[in-house]
Amino acid sequence: MAKGEGAEQYSNASLLNKPGNSDGIQLAKRHEQNRLSVCNKICYAIGGAPYQITGCALGFFLQIYLLDVAQIDPFYASIILFVGRAWDAVTDPTVGFLVSRSPWTRFGRMLPWIVLSTPLAVISYFLIWYVPPFENGKVIWYLFFYCLFQSLQTCFHVPYSALTMFISSEQKERDSATAYRMTVEVLGTLLGTAIQGQIVGLANAPCIPGPADILAEPSNFSASPGLNESKPVISLEHTRTAYMIASGVICLIYIICAVVLFFGVREQKESSRPRSEPMSFFQGIKLVMGYGPYAKLVMAFLFTSLGFMLLEGNFALFCSATLGFRNDFQNILLVIMLSATLAIPFWQWFLTRFGKKTAVYVGTLAVIPFMILVVSLKSNLAVTYICSFAAGVGVAVAFLLPWSMLPDVVDDFQVQNPDFTGHEALFYSFYVFFTKFASGVSLGISTLSLDFAGYISRGCSQPKEVDLTLKLLVSAAPIALMAIGLSIIYSYPINEEKRQANRKLLQDLRENEADSETDSAELVNVV
């Protein structure tokens, strides 16, 4: 049938836009849009490094810094650690609520939060590691800047965590991006441990001998003049300067990572646009905590994460005070993080092969024998290194699995509640809330326990009660918490079959929505 040039172009355009003939093209376009390049995944993953670098430095070193460098009384140090973590926990659901109501901008909904919070966050982080030139207000100083940093970091991390749901609507792409993210985050903990530990370790002030030390080995503490004149003297001021240098390096890395994330990642506007009615803060709490699979997952990882946090918060002090490795503890921590980094690809393969629940059980149980061994055997540096490396393989599970399983719960919630969309940030923020609040309680109680046990600041040796307390805090208590967490995860209902079914249902739902939008657009054009 003969046609004019204009008629032919109209006919071809109409043919391409007919639903019956364009389904494959539209589907291919949507899949292409949802695909993430390796560069996108790396840039997204780099954004997770600041949280882990600063969190690792604070988790491993803040307690020992407050006690031995800032020389805060253990009772007040416990208040700083508890109130700071508790405040941090409260800010998470608050920020999550605000993020979920944020309007769309040309940069997205999540990225503006990340960029605007970064400058103030690095300033407050630096001031945490600065010893002010006064004594009376020192506790207020650390409490204020610790709480301020935690609030600003929440404004970074909650939107970043929720960004997982917005970089792609494909579950496979999100899982792949999460694996990249977890690898970089464990590298971040490795980097945080290396920077903080190695710089501080080079300027570690000597311990102060007590009466028991002098009576036990009087020859080692001779007051003869000139005895140690040939050795370089490291003062407490050198140690304080080293902490400030380390914090300055970490602040620089924080800024670089935020810049890479901002320029390397783009949110999908269709995924980010909230389509259901906004809800109040307490309605959000009721919504997420009333959902069974989410509540079980949160409670399970609350206990397992709490066990790992107790271990993390007290292990540096345990190595230094109980095992006597005052000059080696930073290297021991580095071995744990190096082992965890190397194990991430293995666990990513394991969970795809055997399922996420199985990975949680195997990984968590693998840590326990070495936690028992390190406190049972007599102090031995080689054995400690071996136990630390083996334990790091299991520590990787604590990094990877919670963030890999949370998107599955959000997907399941969307399948069960298709009318509620745009509230993904609430699920992430409440998970972080419970974890941080519990860690604040654990750190406060552990530091307070050391005070009751008679901890001696910068002491060359500690009372037997302190040694026993530290052994309980890095072994018995974490093991009990992990056991409770594993018992809860047993009833977690989202297995691999349900996860794959949810993935297919959501994919079909999104394709139907896209087809409806295409049909509506065609109808408007015809009219």
Side-chain angles (χ1 to χ4, degrees):
M1 183 171 62
K3 295 185 180 181
E5 183 178 350
E8 183 178 357
Q9 289 177 352
Y10 177 79
S11 176
N12 291 337
S14 300
L15 183 64
L16 289 174
N17 287 322
K18 285 183 181 179
N21 295 312
S22 63
D23 285 347
I25 297 175
Q26 295 293 334
L27 184 61
K29 287 182 178 179
R30 286 195 293 272
H31 282 305
E32 186 65 27
Q33 182 182 10
N34 286 320
R35 285 188 63 185
L36 298 173
S37 67
V38 173
C39 182
N40 292 143
K41 293 175 184 177
I42 292 175
C43 290
Y44 166 73
I46 287 174
Y51 179 78
Q52 294 299 339
I53 292 174
T54 56
C56 184
L58 290 168
F60 277 130
F61 294 94
L62 184 58
Q63 184 187 55
I64 197 170
Y65 168 81
L66 292 176
L67 294 174
D68 288 356
V69 180
Q71 296 186 319
I72 302 291
D73 183 87
F75 174 76
Y76 292 111
S78 68
I79 292 177
I80 293 170
L81 294 171
F82 168 70
V83 174
R85 279 293 197 173
W87 173 257
D88 184 26
V90 171
T91 59
D92 278 295
T94 305
V95 171
F97 170 72
L98 295 174
V99 168
S100 68
R101 297 174 68 94
S102 298
W104 173 265
T105 69
R106 66 191 185 97
F107 301 110
R109 289 174 59 208
M110 305 297 158
L111 291 174
W113 283 85
I114 293 170
V115 172
L116 295 176
S117 65
T118 295
L120 294 175
V122 297
I123 293 172
S124 58
Y125 178 80
F126 181 80
L127 292 175
I128 291 174
W129 303 101
Y130 172 71
V131 180
F134 47 80
E135 286 295 329
N136 291 336
K138 194 183 289 186
V139 174
I140 301 298
W141 173 281
Y142 288 113
L143 185 59
F144 173 77
F145 284 109
Y146 188 37
C147 290
L148 179 61
F149 171 72
Q150 297 287 19
S151 300
L152 292 166
Q153 192 186 49
T154 298
C155 293
F156 182 106
H157 191 247
V158 168
Y160 173 75
S161 299
L163 191 62
T164 309
M165 304 301 298
F166 303 142
I167 56 177
S168 174
S169 61
E170 293 287 337
Q171 188 183 72
K172 183 179 179 181
E173 293 295 315
R174 295 201 307 260
D175 285 346
S176 177
T178 299
Y180 275 83
R181 172 190 165 187
M182 292 302 106
T183 302
V184 172
E185 288 196 359
V186 177
L187 282 171
T189 64
L190 178 65
L191 192 60
T193 306
I195 293 171
Q196 192 84 6
Q198 298 305 311
I199 293 177
V200 170
L202 294 174
N204 196 12
C207 61
I208 300 174
D213 300 307
I214 296 175
L215 289 174
E217 298 182 77
S219 60
N220 292 341
F221 305 101
S222 173
S224 301
L227 179 64
N228 296 317
E229 287 179 359
S230 61
K231 297 181 179 179
V233 177
I234 299 176
S235 67
L236 187 59
E237 287 301 320
H238 290 105
T239 306
R240 291 174 176 177
T241 303
Y243 271 99
M244 291 178 62
I245 293 172
S247 66
V249 174
I250 289 175
C251 287
L252 180 61
I253 296 173
Y254 195 118
I255 294 172
I256 293 172
C257 292
V259 171
V260 171
L261 175 66
F262 180 74
F263 287 105
V265 174
R266 287 291 175 267
E267 296 178 44
Q268 291 188 8
K269 186 174 183 179
E270 290 76 13
S271 299
S272 298
R273 184 178 67 248
R275 291 185 291 271
S276 59
E277 289 295 322
M279 60 180 63
S280 69
F281 178 74
F282 292 103
Q283 285 176 325
I285 296 177
K286 184 178 179 181
L287 174 71
V288 298
M289 294 311 300
Y291 189 60
Y294 177 78
K296 290 180 180 179
L297 185 68
V298 167
M299 293 304 295
F301 280 113
L302 170 65
F303 285 101
T304 54
S305 300
L306 188 53
F308 281 109
M309 287 174 186
L310 267 180
L311 179 64
E312 176 190 67
N314 294 281
F315 196 69
L317 206 57
F318 171 74
C319 292
S320 176
T322 301
L323 298 182
F325 303 139
R326 185 176 178 83
N327 297 321
D328 298 284
F329 75 90
Q330 68 273 10
N331 297 323
I332 295 171
L333 299 179
L334 192 60
V335 167
I336 294 176
M337 293 298 104
L338 177 62
S339 173
T341 304
L342 297 175
I344 284 285
F346 165 76
W347 289 117
Q348 179 63 25
W349 167 83
F350 189 95
L351 67 87
T352 56
R353 178 68 178 83
F354 300 102
K356 296 179 180 180
K357 285 180 66 173
T358 305
V360 172
Y361 276 99
V362 175
T364 305
L365 292 174
V367 183
I368 294 177
F370 300 100
M371 293 171 63
I372 297 173
L373 187 63
V374 77
V375 300
S376 301
L377 297 179
K378 189 176 180 180
S379 178
N380 185 292
L381 186 58
V383 172
T384 303
Y385 273 118
I386 294 171
C387 290
S388 300
F389 185 86
V393 176
V395 170
V397 173
F399 287 99
L400 178 62
L401 267 301
W403 299 111
S404 180
M405 296 173 77
L406 270 175
D408 300 338
V409 174
V410 176
D411 284 346
D412 189 68
F413 177 83
Q414 290 179 346
V415 169
Q416 302 297 328
N417 303 273
D419 295 332
F420 288 92
T421 57
H423 304 297
E424 292 84 356
L426 292 176
F427 286 90
Y428 284 84
S429 61
F430 278 106
Y431 168 74
V432 179
F433 163 76
F434 285 107
T435 304
K436 287 183 177 179
F437 186 81
S439 71
V441 172
S442 68
L443 285 174
I445 291 176
S446 62
T447 309
L448 200 59
S449 300
L450 293 174
D451 183 31
F452 289 146
Y455 179 81
I456 302 171
S457 180
R458 292 181 62 201
C460 291
S461 63
Q462 298 292 339
K464 292 182 178 179
E465 292 81 5
V466 172
D467 292 339
L468 178 61
T469 301
L470 285 170
K471 288 181 178 180
L472 292 174
L473 291 173
V474 301
S475 182
I479 290 172
L481 292 167
M482 291 174 189
I484 295 173
L486 292 178
S487 65
I488 296 174
I489 204 74
Y490 181 79
S491 60
Y492 175 68
I494 302 178
N495 52 26
E496 287 303 299
E497 292 76 13
K498 189 169 185 179
R499 190 171 74 89
Q500 294 298 334
N502 287 341
R503 175 185 176 183
K504 187 176 185 307
L505 286 171
L506 285 175
Q507 185 175 344
D508 292 341
L509 180 63
R510 291 176 183 125
E511 290 173 0
N512 291 335
E513 288 178 352
D515 289 339
S516 298
E517 291 176 2
T518 302
D519 292 341
S520 299
E522 290 176 353
L523 182 60
V524 169
N525 291 333
V526 170
V527 172

